[in-house]
Structure formats: structure tokens, C-alpha cells
Amino acid sequence: MRSEAKPRSRLSRQDWIDAAIEQLVEAGIGAVSVEQLATRIGVTRGSFYHHFADREDLLRGMLDYWSQRWSYSIREQIAALGLDPGTTLLALMRAIRSQGASDYDAAFRAWALHDPLAQVVVEQVDEARLAFIRSRFEGLGFTGLELENRARLYLYYEVARPAMFVSLPPQQDEELLVERHRFLTTAQNN
């Protein structure tokens, strides 16, 4: 999705949402305006109102798309594989990377700092993500604080990775991913 939107004779609702998400990532929520998006896409503002009642309708569409595309649908894809808990966690890490699921999280989280609607959606997504991850660590036999810490460390790293760390070459990134998975899923012998 990271390419500039191209002018089309018939824009869809999704075209507007895609352009708005790119605008959010590049310049923040304040830059997501009908005027700026129309300019970005290369159409008149009137085209916007064929798909949205107003800017708030667009913002809700962005939040719905972000939560569905980069959270719920990935979780459902991985769960449908029917893998054991440890393999599920590894497959989820790889799916997050290959689908760019966390590439947009920082922008949505920054938006949520100043907007109650976005805050509610981000919190719901985080709780759903954490519940899924937590259930896999439970399946590995972890309980209590050890379970909670492992699940949260997993989630925090996967969410923050694109915003916090410089991209690595694919082989090095895969080696780090496999080692992190091993570290988080292997019980400590005290």
C-alpha cells in the first residue's frame, strides 16, 4: 500500500481509505483532510462525498480497515492453520512481517493519543492481539506473571519493531526472529 495513489476515473471507498492511511503515516492525523486527500489522489473534493458522509466517516473507515486488515484477519489466518501453540507464535511473527501488519501501528497509536475514538479502537485491537498471544503461551504451559510477561514482550516487540529498529537484511532478521521465538517460548530452568 505504500505507493502514491493514482488518479482513476472511478475511485472506490477503499481508494480513499488507502490514501488517508498513507497521509496519516506520512504527516499525522491533522493532515488527513478531504482537501489534502483530493489533491493527493488528483480528484475534486466532490468525489469524496460519494463514499463518505463526512471526515468522521472516513476516520471510522480507516480505523475499521486497520483493525481488520492488520490484526483480526491475520489472527484468523494463523488460527485456521491449526498449528500447535509454539508453531502458531512463530507463524504469527512471520505473517506480521510478510504482511506489513505492524508498519502502520505507530501512526495509529500516535493518533489515538489525541482522539478518544481512535484510542478505543487501538485498545480493543491490543486486547484482542494480547488475548490471542496469551492463549498460545498458556498452551505452552506458562502461567501467572511468566505467561503475562512473555505475551506482552511478544506483542510489544512485534508492534514496535518497525518504529524502533533499523531494518535488517532478510536473513539476519529471520535469525533474530527465530532466536526471539526460542527465547520467549522456552521455559527457564531455575
Side-chain angles (χ1 to χ4, degrees), residues 34-75:
V34 177
E35 186 69 39
Q36 288 177 332
L37 292 174
T39 299
R40 179 184 187 106
I41 297 171
V43 297
T44 65
R45 289 172 25 132
S47 172
F48 174 85
Y49 295 102
H50 290 290
H51 303 289
F52 301 95
D54 53 25
R55 181 176 182 263
E56 186 171 325
D57 188 20
L58 170 67
L59 298 180
R60 287 180 189 279
M62 292 167 61
L63 289 164
D64 289 346
Y65 182 74
W66 171 75
S67 64
Q68 285 299 318
R69 171 68 181 91
W70 290 299
S71 190
Y72 300 121
S73 68
I74 292 172
R75 182 186 68 204

Side-chain angles (χ1 to χ4, degrees), residues 14-159:
Q14 190 60 50
D15 291 328
W16 283 95
I17 289 171
D18 290 345
I21 290 173
E22 291 306 320
Q23 191 78 4
L24 171 70
V25 169
E26 292 171 13
I29 194 63
V32 178
S33 70
V34 177
E35 186 69 39
Q36 288 177 332
L37 292 174
T39 299
R40 179 184 187 106
I41 297 171
V43 297
T44 65
R45 289 172 25 132
S47 172
F48 174 85
Y49 295 102
H50 290 290
H51 303 289
F52 301 95
D54 53 25
R55 181 176 182 263
E56 186 171 325
D57 188 20
L58 170 67
L59 298 180
R60 287 180 189 279
M62 292 167 61
L63 289 164
D64 289 346
Y65 182 74
W66 171 75
S67 64
Q68 285 299 318
R69 171 68 181 91
W70 290 299
S71 190
Y72 300 121
S73 68
I74 292 172
R75 182 186 68 204
E76 290 166 8
Q77 290 168 14
I78 298 302
L81 297 175
L83 304 170
D84 65 83
T87 306
T88 296
L89 289 168
L90 184 60
L92 181 58
M93 287 173 158
R94 287 182 172 139
I96 289 167
R97 296 247 183 342
S98 68
Q99 296 183 35
S102 58
D103 293 352
Y104 300 91
D105 275 18
F108 278 87
R109 289 172 191 289
W111 173 13
L113 291 173
H114 307 288
D115 181 333
L117 173 64
Q119 181 181 16
V120 166
V121 173
V122 168
E123 287 173 358
Q124 290 170 345
V125 165
D126 283 347
E127 190 49 46
R129 288 173 174 177
L130 190 56
F132 182 77
I133 294 164
R134 192 183 289 126
S135 72
R136 290 347 186 236
F137 279 104
E138 284 175 334
L140 291 172
F142 294 105
T143 60
L145 289 176
E146 189 173 15
L147 162 70
E148 195 63 25
N149 276 319
R150 288 172 189 268
R152 286 176 182 268
L153 285 170
Y154 181 105
L155 179 61
Y156 296 158
Y157 189 91
E158 293 307 319
V159 165

